[in-house]
Amino acid sequence: MEPLAQRELFTGPGAGVEDPGALLPAYLDWFRDTLRRKCDGLPQEVLRAPVVPLGWSPLGLVQHLSWVERRWMRWGFAAEDVPPYPQGGEQAEWHVPEELAVAEVWARFEREAAASRALSAGVGLHTPARTGGRFPEGGKPPVLGRILFHLFQEYARHIGHLDVARELIDGETGE
C-alpha cells in the first residue's frame, strides 16, 4: 500500500475545496457523476430490470433521484409550482414505464440537477427557502445549507444502494 501522503485522501472534490458553500455543491456534482458512472456499461434491459431482492432497478433509482432533486430544490427551496411527485405518488417514481426511453430518464435527471445547480449558484448557505411550495406560508423554512445537506445524504445513501445492486447484477464494486 502506498503511503498516505502519496494517495488522494478524499474522494469527490479536490482536497483544496474547503469552503462549505463550495464543498456541498461540489460533492453533489460528484455524487451525480458517480450515479452515472455506476450505471455505465449496463445494457438497457439490465438498467430497467428490478434487482432481486432489492425490488428496484438502477434506472428507477435515477428517476427517483430526479424527483428528489425537484422536491427539495424547485418545489422546496424555490417554491416553484411544480408537481413534487409523479402521478401515482412516491412509489411511482421508482417505476420506469416501458415506453419511457432510457435517454429520457437521464435527460430528466440532468435537467433537475441543472435546475438545482442554478438555484443554489451564488446563494449563501444561510439563505432561507421561499415559502408557498414545500414549506407553508407562516412557517420557518429551512436554509439552503440544510436542504443541500439533505440532498447530500440522499445521494450518499442511494449511491451505496447502487453499489449493492451493481454487485448483485455483475459483481462490480465501487469506491
Side-chain angles (χ1 to χ4, degrees), residues 8 10 18 30 47 69 77 85 102 106 130 132 150 166:
E8 180 65 40
F10 300 104
E18 297 174 353
W30 182 79
L47 277 171
E69 293 260 6
F77 183 68
Y85 295 94
V102 169
W106 279 110
R130 293 187 181 130
H150 180 79
R166 188 67 196 251

Side-chain angles (χ1 to χ4, degrees), residues 4-154:
L4 196 57
Q6 305 267 318
R7 291 185 280 140
E8 180 65 40
L9 294 176
F10 300 104
T11 57
V17 180
E18 297 174 353
D19 172 51
L23 195 58
L24 269 171
Y27 256 109
L28 284 170
D29 277 338
W30 182 79
F31 280 134
R32 292 170 184 128
D33 291 343
T34 301
L35 177 69
R36 172 75 77 176
R37 192 174 63 252
K38 289 185 182 294
C39 288
D40 281 349
L42 293 176
Q44 286 195 27
E45 57 276 1
V46 175
L47 277 171
R48 290 178 170 282
V51 179
V52 176
L54 304 175
W56 48 264
S57 71
L59 195 61
L61 177 62
V62 173
Q63 183 170 264
H64 167 69
L65 287 169
S66 299
W67 285 99
V68 167
E69 293 260 6
R70 172 184 280 234
R71 258 193 304 280
W72 284 97
M73 290 302 294
R74 292 180 60 201
W75 184 53
F77 183 68
E80 288 181 20
D81 185 18
V82 295
Y85 295 94
Q87 224 174 11
E90 191 170 356
Q91 288 300 326
E93 63 191 56
W94 289 86
H95 172 73
V96 180
E98 195 60 40
E99 64 275 5
L100 186 59
V102 169
E104 180 55 28
V105 174
W106 279 110
R108 288 178 181 181
F109 172 78
E110 294 298 342
R111 283 192 301 268
E112 293 299 337
S116 293
R117 275 187 218 98
L119 288 168
S120 64
V123 178
L125 294 179
H126 297 289
T127 304
R130 293 187 181 130
T131 57
R134 179 178 197 120
F135 309 111
E137 299 282 345
K140 184 175 185 218
V143 297
L144 177 62
R146 176 68 180 91
I147 292 171
L148 292 179
F149 193 78
H150 180 79
L151 285 176
F152 179 96
Q153 72 81 27
E154 284 272 355

